[in-house]
Amino acid sequence: MAALRVVVAGSGRTLLNSSKTVHVSRAGMSFSSLPQGRKVVLSTLGLLTAGGAGLALMLHQSVKASDLELHPLVPVESRGPDVFSGPRQGLGLINLPVFPVSIRRGYQVYKQVCSACHSMEYLAFRNLVGVSHTEAEVKTLAEEIEVVDGPDDTGEMFTRPGKLSDYFPKPYPNSEAARVANNGALPPDLSYIVNARHGGEDYVFSLLTGYCEPPAGVDVREGLYYNPYFPGQAIGMAPPIYNEVLEYDDGTPATMSQVAKDVCTFLRWAAEPEHDQRKRMGLKLLLGAGILFPLVYYMKRHRWSVLKSRKIAYRPPK
């Protein structure tokens, strides 16, 4: 055992004192070290990927498949000061208790015009409180409908006046009844229609105001209407709005563009009730990050400065 220790110790000193350098193969790989064939293949794949991404982006931003189908080009800002899509703009809900009059008028348009065919099953009457109506006004609106409830103590269903917790009533009991009443077309639910359509409220505004006569050479089947903003240009919904289609409670002239703008404002709010609150919280987060980030960066530089400036030297034993 003692002889073995001497041999091992002697071998270790020999290795430490050896002047030869042990070379270790490096497993690195670079593009320049690849064969010519692989360079060509990788370059081709990169060009194809970049070209495909650029083509997809161009097609997404251009006019859709048909030359007769128009992309909604109506800017939101041109419709009035109530609806904006910029990062610092909102529906005006932050300055409560001044209720946004456009949302209030938009609800009136939905109730008197749109609710005959379209439902909003994800919106309850209580959502209107503090936004476009007072609590007393919303209670009055809810009590105008009859809700089937129950069963009662005798096991029978009964009807009662609506409450704040009730959702907006549906115009049809089921989708089959809706199709029968609309020549086979199913009117979509409007709760999230702004988020469900390309172009958002611009598309809805363009669709409502875009009915016109078909151009020469275009035939529209009976029961359909020509609208260049609708996919396929032939839509089963008759023009729902026109000048003086209703009379606003606040006396605003009910022109076609005003009615379309108000209902688009209402639908934008219905799709994102937290719209203004989300933007306000995001602004606070950005302001806080602008203050906190330089402090964290300075602390990181201070903590790592010792390690990054340290020099490590190896001195082999003599």
Side-chain angles (χ1 to χ4, degrees):
M1 184 63 70
L4 181 60
R5 290 176 180 174
V6 171
V7 172
V8 172
S11 302
R13 294 191 184 93
T14 304
L15 289 175
L16 290 175
N17 296 329
S18 176
S19 59
K20 295 182 179 180
T21 304
V22 179
H23 297 279
V24 180
S25 60
R26 184 172 297 179
M29 181 180 295
S30 62
F31 183 79
S32 59
S33 62
L34 293 176
Q36 186 66 25
R38 290 191 178 182
K39 289 182 179 179
V40 174
V41 172
L42 292 177
S43 301
T44 305
L45 289 177
L47 291 175
L48 291 177
T49 303
L55 179 62
L57 183 61
M58 291 175 60
L59 291 177
H60 179 73
Q61 294 178 348
S62 64
V63 178
K64 295 182 181 179
S66 174
D67 293 336
L68 297 178
E69 183 177 343
L70 301 181
H71 185 83
L73 297 177
V74 181
V76 182
E77 290 79 0
S78 68
R79 298 202 300 263
D82 295 302
V83 181
F84 293 98
S85 57
R88 297 182 297 104
Q89 298 156 332
L91 295 169
L93 303 181
I94 297 178
N95 299 323
L96 293 177
V98 180
F99 301 147
V101 292
S102 186
I103 297 180
R104 186 185 183 98
R105 291 195 301 262
Y107 171 75
Q108 184 179 352
V109 175
Y110 167 76
K111 180 181 177 181
Q112 299 185 18
V113 179
C114 307
S115 62
C117 300
H118 296 275
S119 62
M120 295 191 74
E121 57 180 328
Y122 298 107
L123 201 66
F125 286 100
R126 64 174 181 268
N127 299 128
L128 298 174
V129 177
V131 176
S132 59
H133 298 73
T134 63
E135 184 175 352
E137 290 174 336
V138 178
K139 285 183 178 180
T140 303
L141 294 174
E143 291 173 355
E144 294 177 358
I145 65 172
E146 294 290 334
V147 179
V148 178
D149 202 350
D152 55 12
D153 296 338
T154 62
E156 299 293 333
M157 303 297 289
F158 61 94
T159 59
R160 60 167 176 79
K163 300 184 297 185
L164 291 178
S165 58
D166 292 324
Y167 288 83
F168 287 4
K170 298 180 180 180
Y172 305 104
N174 50 63
S175 59
E176 286 74 16
R179 292 182 184 275
V180 171
N182 294 275
N183 298 324
L186 179 62
D189 184 83
L190 299 183
S191 301
Y192 300 102
I193 194 67
V194 170
N195 291 339
R197 295 295 183 269
H198 176 72
E201 59 267 31
D202 289 340
Y203 166 77
V204 178
F205 180 85
S206 302
L207 182 71
L208 293 176
T209 59
Y211 287 87
C212 60
E213 293 295 328
V218 177
D219 296 327
V220 180
R221 183 165 54 88
E222 184 180 359
L224 300 179
Y225 303 87
Y226 182 78
N227 193 315
Y229 295 97
F230 186 76
Q233 298 89 48
I235 184 173
M237 179 178 66
I241 60 174
Y242 48 86
N243 292 331
E244 306 300 332
V245 67
L246 78 165
E247 185 177 350
Y248 281 129
D249 295 336
D250 59 359
T252 302
T255 61
M256 177 186 290
S257 59
Q258 182 67 46
V259 172
K261 175 254 184 183
D262 290 333
V263 74
C264 287
T265 306
F266 174 72
L267 294 178
R268 163 52 65 190
W269 166 80
E272 290 184 284
E274 76 288 348
H275 181 271
D276 287 9
Q277 185 70 16
R278 172 172 54 82
K279 287 190 175 181
R280 183 165 61 175
M281 293 301 296
L283 181 60
K284 290 181 179 179
L285 179 62
L286 291 177
L287 293 176
I291 299 174
L292 186 62
F293 181 77
L295 298 178
V296 174
Y297 180 73
Y298 174 78
M299 185 176 66
K300 177 258 182 187
R301 292 289 301 270
H302 177 72
R303 293 290 184 180
W304 285 83
S305 60
V306 178
L307 296 177
K308 285 190 173 184
S309 60
R310 185 174 58 181
K311 181 179 180 181
I312 302 176
Y314 173 69
R315 296 188 179 89
K318 296 181 181 179

